[in-house]
Amino acid sequence: MTERETTRLIAWSNELRRVHQRLRDALAVAQMAVIEGGSSEDATRDLLLYCHGFCAALDGHHRGEDRALFPAIEAAHPHLAPVLRSLEQDHSMIAHLLGELSAAVERSASTADLSMHLDGVAAVMETHFLYEERQLLRVLESLELHDRVSDVLGPL
């Protein structure tokens, strides 16, 4: 394997870490919008802006993994199928939580309610990211995958 090929392969694991960190940062911005928003109306207005971007990015990331990354991993490492099914279940749960958050934002929920929804997303998202990184980073360092990063890990 050439140095360029090795660099390309390791880049997938590094890119996954970077994407996860960007999503963590986006969630923190959304949480701060609620905390610093003052009135519920101000928090909701700010959260509409931040949440839309965060929710779209997280959903796009998970769709890319489900559509491109996980099938490639499973083809190369069939023994990881149970791990991938668990991660896909997490994606479904997170999508449900994001839907509830979006509904709360649209109905101008209280600051406390918005914070509760964001905290729920944060807890599940962080657990999911840590598990995914623990299970897949080494696999990504040897995965032959020639798709664009944005198609696999989302348009971040």
Side-chain angles (χ1 to χ4, degrees):
M1 181 176 294
T2 68
E3 182 179 338
R4 184 169 190 257
E5 289 171 323
T6 302
T7 300
R8 182 185 52 78
L9 294 171
I10 292 174
W12 280 107
S13 64
N14 291 337
E15 189 62 31
L16 181 65
R17 283 188 199 104
R18 281 192 293 274
V19 167
H20 284 177
Q21 188 56 52
R22 283 182 282 202
L23 288 166
R24 287 176 178 113
D25 294 345
L27 179 60
V29 169
Q31 289 173 313
M32 288 309 297
V34 171
I35 292 168
E36 295 176 353
S39 72
S40 180
E41 287 179 16
D42 290 341
T44 300
R45 185 189 65 241
D46 289 346
L47 193 55
L48 276 170
L49 173 68
Y50 297 123
C51 178
H52 178 72
F54 165 72
C55 292
L58 184 57
D59 186 59
H61 169 65
H62 288 159
R63 286 179 190 267
E65 286 182 333
D66 290 346
R67 182 182 56 250
L69 183 62
F70 292 174
I73 291 172
E74 189 167 359
H77 302 277
H79 65 282
L80 290 175
V83 168
L84 299 172
R85 296 302 83 76
S86 177
L87 291 169
E88 289 167 346
Q89 286 177 335
D90 285 355
H91 291 174
S92 179
M93 182 187 325
I94 291 169
H96 176 74
L97 293 172
L98 291 175
E100 289 182 346
L101 172 61
S102 292
V105 169
E106 288 179 22
R107 71 173 180 273
S108 297
S110 70
T111 301
D113 195 29
L114 294 172
S115 289
M116 179 192 69
H117 284 289
L118 283 169
D119 290 347
V121 170
V124 175
M125 185 183 85
E126 188 60 29
T127 300
H128 170 77
F129 285 173
L130 292 172
Y131 178 71
E132 186 174 66
E133 290 171 4
R134 193 170 48 251
Q135 296 296 320
L136 300 183
L137 287 180
R138 283 200 179 106
V139 170
L140 290 175
E141 291 175 1
S142 63
L143 186 67
E144 288 290 337
L145 186 60
H146 302 283
D147 296 14
R148 293 181 321 164
V149 171
S150 62
D151 291 339
V152 175
L153 298 178
L156 290 178

